[in-house]
Amino acid sequence: MNAAERVLLRSVTMWLLLQSLLLLASCFRSAAAFPKGCYPSEEEGLKTFRCSNARLTEVPRDIPNDTNKLYLDSNRIPFLPRDAFRDLPLLLELDLSHNAITSIESGAFRGLADHLRSLDLSSNRLVSVSKDAFSNLKAKVNLSDNPWLCDCRLQELIRTVDLAAGSSGGIVCDSSAQEEHVGKAFLQVIANTDFCNVYKKTTDIAMLVTMFGWFAMVISYLVYYVRQNQEDARRHLEYLKSLPSKQRRSEESSTISTVV
């Protein structure tokens, strides 16, 4: 091997070593960017990002934007803010089960409507959620094992989402305006009770009572006003009668002129 070949071989070796070091540094940098307990993997040909049991208190940032399956289960996340997953255009499955979620802002799942096919929110602390939080979402949603308040809002939510198979029985009334509903599956309750119609009737009755109250006040005031004027007129007539005749006629003429 001549000198030129040795120089070329050495150059190629150094270049390969440099590329290896850069790749290794990139890997370390990527790993360091992930929250503790989170790591990427590949499952069944799908890019997966797992943060199960990572003691998270919020949805982590820097999730790879090519993630297909995201596991955030068994953490301490208390709520989902607006646009929490907007940078995940390829997300197919999202597991948020066994957290401490009590509220979901409208727009939390914005950007996922066209491709997300599975959303697990089971075993959280959801009591009431607006249907707008799931607007246009086509995913199969698991809402079981939450302390739901059974009312019109939950009824509208159930009509909006596509429930995951076998999960409907786990949506149980933890509280309700009617005590007999507590502890029963919500779908069983709404088979005989329309919460939204009950709410509408209650609202209508409240409006009628309010209107009747105002009407009664107006009538009472008019009656009082008429009676008060009659009393004033009676007193004035008695006063006129007590005056001497000439002065009385003058006062009466003055009164008539004023009335006219």
Side-chain angles (χ1 to χ4, degrees), residues 61-82:
R61 302 176 182 179
D62 300 320
I63 298 172
N65 57 15
D66 60 349
T67 298
N68 303 128
K69 299 171 70 174
L70 176 60
Y71 291 89
L72 299 174
D73 56 301
S74 303
N75 284 290
R76 303 170 184 173
I77 300 172
F79 77 102
L80 301 179
R82 184 187 303 272

Side-chain angles (χ1 to χ4, degrees), residues 97-248:
S97 63
H98 295 90
N99 272 281
I101 300 171
T102 58
S103 64
I104 301 174
E105 288 188 359
S106 179
F109 304 112
R110 186 160 50 189
L112 304 181
D114 295 331
H115 46 84
L116 190 69
R117 63 191 187 194
S118 175
L119 172 61
D120 193 346
L121 286 164
S122 63
S123 300
N124 276 281
R125 299 177 186 174
L126 295 171
V127 175
S128 184
V129 179
S130 170
K131 64 178 181 179
D132 296 335
F134 298 87
S135 180
N136 300 319
L137 206 61
K138 300 173 184 176
K140 299 286 185 180
V141 183
N142 187 345
L143 298 172
S144 62
D145 299 320
N146 281 279
W148 291 110
L149 166 63
C150 289
D151 60 0
C152 180
R153 205 177 192 201
L154 180 58
Q155 184 171 314
E156 290 181 337
L157 173 62
I158 297 300
R159 287 174 177 173
T160 300
V161 301
D162 187 5
L163 295 177
S167 68
S168 60
I171 303 174
V172 176
C173 299
D174 187 72
S175 58
S176 175
Q178 300 181 37
E179 190 65 28
E180 65 268 22
H181 295 156
V182 176
K184 293 183 179 179
F186 185 67
L187 292 188
Q188 176 188 347
V189 171
I190 59 174
N192 302 311
T193 304
D194 189 333
F195 285 97
C196 295
N197 274 347
V198 170
Y199 175 78
K200 185 176 183 301
K201 289 177 181 177
T202 303
T203 304
D204 290 344
I205 291 171
M207 289 181 65
L208 286 173
V209 170
T210 302
M211 290 175 64
F212 179 78
W214 279 106
F215 182 73
M217 288 176 63
V218 171
I219 295 299
S220 299
Y221 175 77
L222 289 175
V223 170
Y224 170 79
Y225 180 79
V226 170
R227 286 181 176 177
Q228 187 68 28
N229 283 350
Q230 287 178 342
E231 183 66 21
D232 290 343
R234 186 184 63 78
R235 289 174 181 172
H236 187 63
L237 288 174
E238 289 178 353
Y239 167 73
L240 291 177
K241 289 176 181 180
S242 68
L243 294 174
S245 59
K246 186 180 290 187
Q247 185 178 356
R248 183 168 65 250

